[in-house]
Amino acid sequence: MTTLGEALIRLLEAHGVDTVFGIPGVHTVELYRGLASSGIRHITPRHEQGAGFMADGYARASGRPGVAFVITGPGLTNTITAMAQARADSVPMLVISGVNATATLGLGRGYLHELPDQHGMMEKVALSSERITRPDELARALSRAFTLFASSRPGPVHIEIPIDVMAMPAGDLAAVPVQTAPPALDKTLIAKAAALIAAARKPLILAGGGARNAEAELRRLAELIDAPVVQTVNGRGLMHAHPLVVPASPSLKAVRELMSGADVVIAAGTEFGPTDYDMYGDAGFVVPKTLVRIDLDAAQLDRYPATVAIQADCAAALEAMLCCLSSTRDGSPASCSLGARIAATTREAAFAEIGSAMQMQVGAVEQIRDALPASIIVGDSTQPVYAANLFYDHDRAGGWFNAATGFGALGYGPPAAIGAAIAMPDAAVVCLAGDGGFQFTLPEIAVAADTGAPVIFVIWNNRGYREIETSMRDIGVEPVGVSPQPPDFLKLAEAYKIPAERLATAGELGAALRRAHAKRQPCIIEIAIE
């Protein structure tokens, strides 16, 4: 007899899942029945929040959905923070949880791990939440999840299975095909957008995370129309070192001036979130007057007025625009082109605007990039990450991501970096975290030790929450609670049997990274900041 739990594993394999992050418990034991004999690798984090963050990092690095198994009640509530981060950043994540036996739900009698309404709670956090009440519902529920990941704006999806249903006979459930077709292109809207762009004298492109898989089309369009390309945080790495690229935050005055001077703005895969466009909360962001928006999500398109709003995959929409536009320009802008000159002026002004302290921190991030080309840098909320989110040009599309925007979950970096390294074992993966944020999920370095995931954990140790302390001082609040005592990170590394070294200055980072990378095992590099 094949149980529903066993069928679940087979169906996940049919959908291409090769890794599951989870902590087994009495409410998920049946889900593990078929796991040992399958081709799916199970990774055991030290906390369910870590499972969610690892699934997130796995998904961002690989482009495939990250999958987590968690128990009902506290296991699932521990995962909610990671799910909220994934929702904010459009990360495909499938969370499969248990729930109490069907006959006990909603009675409030105090069963183990009982919640008043677990399904109702998850409907508020996930893009969708489904409860499986019969084995024949499972295949279609999984198909709906993977269809959402493939054809619309992704995010976290939750499926819960009551413990009595897990053990039911499931027969030979077959995977239901996934519908992968994105929204059909509206040719009338494409032509209207192309006409606006063709008539523009100073066009500008804003590239967000939704354009990460459209680098070739983005480059061709930018070169054809001679348009500077401003990257949001999740768009960093696109068109690295190109003369038209402005790898700077739209919250900076220099970039806002560039936006206000454009006569048409093409916004590709960016939601205009305040953590990108108004991170200082000064209400200085103004929606461009002539705006062409491209986004998979119709709800996002409705949130800001646009001259032309195109619901589509960015690569498909940009390619269609290219076909419509007249090729009167040669498509190969020299460094002296008008767009390149404007981009260069904006880059210089934006870098000067962030000031010397942040320039030093950006320099530290550039050392990572230059020491380990095409690396994946996974950030936590720490000073050099904040600085680089303001200004930094990465050399790998999708290779710079962090939780310092959107939902802003502290402690994201270490487990997400482990997930990225498990997804992309041949890539150099660096976690950049502060001593405060690192302690939120510190035990997860044990997972790197368990699996051999060669993450280089760079700890920016300024002995506390210095960014928060600065914010307090700036508004005249006496700092309180911002100086938690950090542990001895080198002794912790010794306890986990991974190599570590402490640097006296950030200038030593490049050489230390090369030494660590040569080991091809998890390492800790601590930078002591005065």
Side-chain angles (χ1 to χ4, degrees):
M1 179 189 75
T2 299
T3 67
L4 182 139
E6 292 173 298
L8 170 66
I9 302 303
R10 290 206 317 264
L11 291 170
L12 288 174
E13 284 187 296
H15 285 290
V17 174
D18 60 15
T19 305
V20 165
F21 303 92
I23 301 175
V26 294
H27 284 63
T28 53
V29 168
E30 279 294 339
L31 299 185
Y32 282 75
R33 185 177 292 279
L35 197 54
S37 60
S38 76
I40 296 177
R41 182 184 187 186
H42 184 273
I43 305 294
T44 307
R46 298 308 188 258
H47 189 279
E48 288 92 355
Q49 186 182 91
F53 285 149
M54 288 178 197
D56 178 302
Y58 175 99
R60 296 201 207 206
S62 69
R64 303 187 300 274
V67 181
F69 279 8
V70 297
I71 64 166
T72 186
L76 187 56
T77 57
N78 283 343
T79 314
I80 284 178
T81 295
M83 295 176 71
Q85 185 71 53
R87 179 160 185 161
D89 288 341
S90 304
V91 178
M93 177 190 297
L94 176 60
V95 176
I96 299 174
S97 79
V99 71
N100 289 95
T102 306
T104 72
L105 297 177
L107 298 182
R109 292 177 177 172
Y111 289 93
L112 179 65
H113 302 327
E114 184 179 31
L115 284 166
D117 182 4
Q118 177 175 290
H119 177 56
M121 176 185 70
M122 296 312 298
E123 285 184 311
K124 304 297 184 183
V125 178
L127 293 182
S128 71
S129 177
E130 294 195 46
R131 177 182 298 157
I132 304 301
T133 61
R134 302 189 315 271
D136 61 1
E137 297 173 348
L138 179 61
R140 291 195 178 279
L142 287 170
S143 177
R144 283 190 288 271
F146 284 91
T147 293
L148 187 153
F149 298 146
S151 60
S152 62
R153 187 185 186 206
V157 172
H158 170 241
I159 295 175
E160 68 178 18
I161 308 174
I163 55 176
D164 56 320
V165 178
M166 293 178 191
M168 287 182 179
D172 296 322
L173 292 179
V176 176
V178 172
Q179 304 300 315
T180 59
L185 283 172
D186 187 321
K187 294 181 180 180
T188 301
L189 292 178
I190 293 291
K192 184 177 179 181
L196 288 172
I197 295 166
R201 299 177 62 187
K202 294 178 69 176
L204 175 68
I205 299 173
L206 306 176
R212 279 177 295 190
N213 296 322
E215 183 170 27
E217 295 83 0
L218 186 72
R219 180 190 297 269
R220 286 166 54 211
L221 178 64
E223 291 178 349
L224 178 64
I225 65 176
D226 195 23
V229 179
V230 174
Q231 306 163 334
T232 68
V233 170
N234 285 328
R236 299 293 172 84
L238 291 164
M239 297 173 57
H240 170 64
H242 195 285
L244 287 171
V245 159
V246 180
S249 170
S251 293
L252 295 173
K253 293 178 181 178
V255 179
R256 286 178 173 177
E257 289 177 6
L258 172 63
M259 292 169 61
S260 66
D263 51 6
V264 64
V265 174
I266 304 110
T270 176
E271 65 179 9
F272 291 130
T275 51
D276 271 310
Y277 289 84
D278 191 23
M279 68 175 298
Y280 295 111
D282 60 8
F285 169 62
V286 177
V287 178
K289 291 181 179 179
T290 305
L291 175 64
V292 175
R293 285 197 73 187
I294 307 167
D295 203 288
L296 267 177
D297 188 2
Q300 281 295 339
L301 292 173
D302 288 341
R303 287 178 182 137
Y304 288 96
T307 313
V308 182
I310 301 169
Q311 185 186 5
D313 169 75
C314 279
L318 293 174
E319 182 64 38
M321 286 181 189
L322 282 161
C323 291
C324 281
L325 287 165
S326 171
S327 300
T328 54
R329 294 172 240 199
D330 64 12
S332 301
S335 58
C336 61
S337 75
L338 176 61
R341 292 199 303 274
I342 292 172
T345 299
T346 305
R347 286 194 301 268
E348 293 170 7
F351 189 66
E353 187 178 334
I354 67 174
S356 59
M358 284 190 174
Q359 289 170 0
M360 180 274 289
Q361 293 157 12
V362 170
V365 178
E366 289 175 337
Q367 285 191 67
I368 301 174
R369 179 197 65 200
D370 296 342
L372 305 174
S375 59
I376 298 172
I377 305 178
V378 185
D380 209 81
S381 295
T382 190
Q383 286 182 325
V385 171
Y386 290 134
N389 279 350
L390 286 173
F391 190 101
Y392 169 64
D393 190 10
H394 196 52
D395 62 349
R396 177 182 183 141
W400 169 263
F401 57 86
N402 56 77
T405 62
F407 194 62
L410 203 58
Y412 167 87
I418 294 168
I422 288 169
M424 308 294 286
D426 295 330
V429 178
V430 178
C431 167
L432 180 54
D435 59 295
F438 197 88
Q439 292 179 74
F440 272 53
T441 50
L442 188 152
E444 302 302 352
I445 61 174
V447 181
D450 285 348
T451 61
V455 179
I456 304 173
F457 299 97
V458 176
I459 303 174
W460 189 266
N461 188 354
N462 54 21
R463 305 182 68 80
Y465 305 130
R466 293 293 162 246
E467 197 71 20
I468 306 303
E469 180 180 345
T470 300
S471 298
M472 286 179 162
R473 293 189 187 280
D474 285 347
I475 62 171
V477 174
E478 183 67 23
V480 175
V482 294
S483 300
Q485 177 71 22
D488 186 325
F489 290 107
L490 268 60
K491 289 184 178 178
L492 279 170
E494 182 180 357
Y496 285 115
K497 298 181 175 59
I498 62 176
E501 63 176 300
R502 180 177 290 128
L503 308 181
T505 68
E508 305 170 57
L509 181 56
L513 285 163
R514 286 186 284 271
R515 289 192 296 271
H517 182 62
K519 295 180 173 68
R520 295 306 294 163
Q521 67 179 106
C523 301
I524 286 178
I525 299 173
E526 178 189 355
I527 306 173
I529 304 297
E530 292 296 331

